[in-house]
């Protein structure tokens, strides 16, 4: 039997919130995370020693539901937050926050990795940290609770979505005056929009909604519009994440039945076959499933596989050539007995984590289909000659952590980078966030 992964509790982030934590946003390059709480605050924690760095307050009048770090910032930290008060906040901190040796957290080579009691000096330092955060601008436009925020890969566009069924795209003018311009408002969803997520390298936005659909958006001739509507889930789409597009970090699916050189050759072939489709999209839903979606290359669409019926978009809405066809690539093995609230795709290992109302964390791994299974599949698909040379993969459930936060629902899970002695800052951990206000850090090892 193939080896499974081990999920080990490393530490809690301390001190916890006294109210529900909705989401934890890992910094894209630094070993720090921001948490969003029902107590109207954002807390920033160190993943080096698991302690609190800053508590950011005063910007929102209701629960902070979502947050995202702006990428490509040097010497400055920029955090976008969304709240149930229908506003989006932009927070800035002008210093080397989290960038000095030991992640800028006062760590030395002799510091331990476990939380300790906070001294008066530490409290004073933290108060000074909090004073350095500035509420730079308030983005006002949504009519109801803001559910998700996401920065584009370039860091120039910010997408926000709301219970008011709309998606807004804002451009950071980067003029030194904290000015943002509204560049699009999309209202095609017929229900509460739960999440937005930008493509890892293109200006393509994905959204998931209470209307059970996933929609893809792109700009065409200075006008943003829907290019695909994916109908596959039988319930609210709670969360979306993208596959990484950096092959240097994750080479592709694995196999237990091949040598290292054979596996490398398989992965190279697999990446070549997938190159025209680009990164896949993963989603989770109230229907208790986790699904992977893949874009059909344009030439496949032109073979007749694409029509307005497959996307749900009347052809009159969008000019010819802008629509995209997305197909279901996989339904991951059943792992949850209640709605799945969050899914996270590791850009480093390719592992997928999911969690939700049942308090369970599940880990999945994509593997090449073994020759024996390949033969059985070939017999079943004897008439399908077009796919005979395409490498097949399957998803395997490789780890389960039941009751990860005791009796509480888990609202979010995310992969995060962590600095540690001997790791060179390359260690990856899993961070889970729950209704009881706790945030737990886990190691996942094969």
């Amino acid at each position: 039997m193939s080896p499974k992964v081990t999920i080990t509790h490393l530490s809690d982030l301390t001190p916890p919130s006294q109210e529900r934590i909705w989401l934890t946003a890992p910094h894209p390059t630094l070993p720090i995370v921001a948490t969003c709480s029902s107590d109207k605050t954002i807390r920033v924690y160190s993943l080096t020693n698991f302690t609190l760095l800053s508590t950011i307050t005063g910007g929102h009048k209701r629960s902070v539901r979502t947050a995202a770090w702006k990428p490509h910032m040097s010497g400055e930290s920029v955090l976008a937050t969304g709240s149930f008060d229908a506003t989006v906040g932009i927070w800035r901190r002008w210093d080397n926050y989290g960038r000095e040796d030991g992640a800028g957290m006062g760590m030395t080579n002799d510091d331990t990795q476990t939380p300790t009691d906070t001294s008066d000096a530490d409290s004073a330092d933290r108060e000074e940290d909090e004073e350095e955060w500035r509420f730079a601008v308030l983005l006002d436009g949504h009519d109801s609770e803001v559910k998700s925020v996401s920065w584009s890969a370039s860091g120039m566009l910010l997408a926000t979505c709301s219970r008011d069924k709309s998606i807004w795209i804002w451009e950071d003018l980067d003029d030194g005056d904290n000015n943002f311009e509204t560049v699009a408002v999309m209202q095609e969803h017929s229900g509460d929009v739960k999440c937005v997520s930008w493509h890892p390298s293109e200006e393509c936005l994905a959204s998931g909604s209470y209307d059970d659909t996933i929609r893809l958006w792109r700009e065409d001739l200075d006008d943003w519009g829907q290019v695909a509507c994916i109908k596959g889930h039988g319930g609210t789409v709670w969360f979306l994440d993208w596959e990484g597009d950096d092959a240097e970090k994750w080479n592709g699916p694995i196999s237990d039945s091949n040598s290292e050189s054979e596996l490398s050759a398989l992965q190279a072939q697999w990446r070549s076959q997938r190159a025209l489709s680009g990164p896949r999209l993963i989603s989770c839903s109230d229907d208790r499933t986790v699904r992977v979606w893949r874009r059909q290359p344009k030439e496949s669409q032109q073979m007749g596989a694409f029509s307005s019926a497959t996307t749900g978009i009347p052809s009159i809405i969008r000019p010819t050539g802008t629509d995209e066809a997305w197909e279901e690539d996989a339904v991951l093995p059943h792992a949850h007995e209640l709605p799945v609230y969050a899914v996270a795709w590791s850009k480093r290992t390719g592992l997928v984590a999911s969690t939700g109302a049942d308090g369970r964390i599940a880990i999945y791994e994509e593997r090449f289909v073994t020759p024996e299974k390949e033969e059985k599949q070939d017999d079943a698909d004897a008439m399908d000659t077009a796919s005979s040379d395409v490498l097949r993969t399957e998803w395997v459930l490789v780890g389960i952590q039941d009751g990860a936060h005791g009796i509480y629902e888990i609202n979010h899970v995310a992969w995060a980078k962590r600095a540690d002695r001997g790791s060179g800052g390359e260690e990856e951990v899993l961070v889970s966030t729950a209704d009881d206000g706790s945030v737990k850090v886990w190691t996942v090892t094969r």
Side-chain angles (χ1 to χ4, degrees):
M1 183 176 178
S2 302
K4 295 187 176 183
V5 302
T6 301
I7 308 170
T8 305
H9 178 232
L10 186 60
S11 180
D12 282 22
L13 298 185
T14 59
S17 171
Q18 298 304 306
E19 297 186 37
R20 172 184 291 159
I21 297 288
W22 286 104
L23 175 143
T24 298
H27 193 281
T29 58
L30 303 173
I32 58 177
V33 296
T35 64
C36 308
S37 176
S38 291
D39 67 5
K40 310 173 191 176
T41 71
I42 305 101
R43 290 176 171 82
V44 181
Y45 291 90
S46 161
L47 286 182
T48 302
N49 58 10
F50 313 115
T51 57
L52 182 66
L53 299 176
S54 304
T55 301
I56 307 172
T57 61
H60 292 294
K61 298 177 181 178
R62 294 183 61 193
S63 299
V64 182
R65 176 65 178 83
T66 179
W69 297 91
K70 184 176 181 179
H72 311 304
M73 302 304 295
S74 178
E76 180 184 9
S77 299
V78 178
L79 189 65
T81 56
S83 169
F84 282 3
D85 66 11
T87 67
V88 176
I90 306 295
W91 306 81
R92 295 182 183 271
R93 182 185 168 102
W94 289 272
D95 62 11
N96 213 30
Y97 192 57
R99 290 172 175 81
E100 296 101 350
D101 183 48
M105 301 161 189
M107 290 285 286
T108 69
N109 290 335
D110 295 326
D111 285 328
T112 62
Q113 300 168 15
T114 54
T116 56
D117 292 335
T118 306
S119 67
D120 292 340
D122 289 338
S123 298
D125 289 342
R126 190 153 59 239
E127 288 174 5
E128 184 178 344
D129 281 342
E130 293 162 16
E131 292 174 0
E132 294 300 323
W133 281 99
R134 296 289 182 264
F135 192 49
V137 63
L138 187 73
L139 303 180
D140 193 2
H142 285 292
D143 294 329
S144 188
E145 301 166 359
V146 176
K147 295 298 183 71
S148 178
V149 298
S150 178
W151 291 98
S152 65
S154 68
M156 298 310 297
L157 298 176
L158 177 68
T160 64
C161 66
S162 168
R163 187 179 180 182
D164 65 14
K165 308 177 186 178
S166 73
I167 299 165
W168 289 54
I169 297 180
W170 317 75
E171 182 181 3
D172 185 351
L173 299 181
D174 199 22
D175 56 4
D177 293 326
N178 295 312
N179 288 321
F180 281 73
E181 179 182 11
T182 305
V183 297
V185 178
M186 287 94 75
Q187 297 177 300
E188 279 81 347
H189 278 294
S190 60
D192 180 347
V193 188
K194 297 293 187 183
C195 55
V196 284
S197 182
W198 285 100
H199 187 286
S201 58
E202 302 173 11
E203 287 191 349
C204 172
L205 181 69
S207 60
S209 170
Y210 188 82
D211 66 13
D212 305 350
T213 69
I214 300 166
R215 298 175 191 248
L216 283 299
W217 314 84
R218 290 184 187 267
E219 185 179 25
D220 180 55
L221 301 177
D222 298 323
D223 184 25
W224 282 84
Q226 178 180 296
V227 296
C229 177
I230 302 173
K231 297 178 179 179
H233 279 295
T236 300
V237 180
W238 283 101
F239 207 80
L240 299 166
D241 197 15
W242 291 88
E243 177 182 27
D245 64 352
D246 187 351
E248 293 181 0
K249 295 182 180 178
W250 178 54
N251 291 322
I254 69 163
S255 171
D256 295 329
S257 59
N258 297 94
S259 67
E260 187 172 337
S261 60
E262 290 172 334
L263 177 58
S264 295
L266 281 175
Q267 290 173 334
Q269 182 183 347
W270 181 84
R271 291 196 303 272
S272 176
Q273 291 175 350
R274 297 284 181 141
L276 291 177
S277 297
R280 292 168 293 174
L281 183 66
I282 196 165
S283 59
C284 63
S285 168
D286 213 62
D287 66 11
R288 308 176 189 180
T289 68
V290 178
R291 298 170 187 258
V292 178
W293 311 91
R294 181 168 61 89
R295 180 176 56 189
Q296 289 184 10
K298 283 290 184 181
E299 51 267 37
S300 297
Q301 299 180 27
Q302 295 167 359
M303 298 277 297
F306 169 73
S307 69
S308 62
T310 62
T311 63
I313 314 171
S315 58
I316 193 172
I317 293 179
R318 303 291 297 156
T320 302
T322 60
D323 292 320
E324 299 177 357
W326 286 73
E327 61 185 5
E328 188 175 88
D329 194 62
V331 179
L332 273 59
H334 177 76
H336 294 281
E337 304 305 324
L338 292 171
V340 188
Y341 291 151
V343 63
W345 202 331
S346 170
K347 309 305 184 282
R348 184 167 181 227
T349 65
L351 292 174
V352 163
S354 64
T355 196
D358 58 8
R360 172 181 296 168
I361 297 174
I363 306 292
Y364 316 81
E365 186 171 61
E366 188 175 18
R367 298 180 177 180
F368 287 112
V369 174
T370 62
E372 294 78 12
K373 289 185 179 180
E374 192 79 47
E375 289 177 7
K376 292 180 182 179
Q377 188 65 36
D378 286 341
D379 290 340
D381 298 339
M383 300 301 292
D384 186 10
T385 56
S387 63
S388 59
D389 294 330
V390 176
L391 291 174
R392 295 191 181 98
T393 64
E394 61 180 352
W395 286 89
V396 180
L397 182 63
V398 292
I400 288 283
Q401 182 69 44
D402 284 317
H405 286 254
I407 63 172
Y408 295 95
E409 292 189 354
I410 304 177
N411 296 313
H412 187 253
V413 67
W415 299 97
K417 295 180 180 180
R418 177 174 182 256
D420 193 8
R421 288 178 294 178
S423 73
E426 289 299 316
E427 182 183 2
E428 187 176 53
V429 292
L430 195 63
V431 183
S432 58
T433 303
D435 273 359
D436 62 348
S438 68
V439 181
K440 294 182 180 290
V441 182
W442 310 82
T443 57
V444 178
T445 54
R446 282 187 169 101

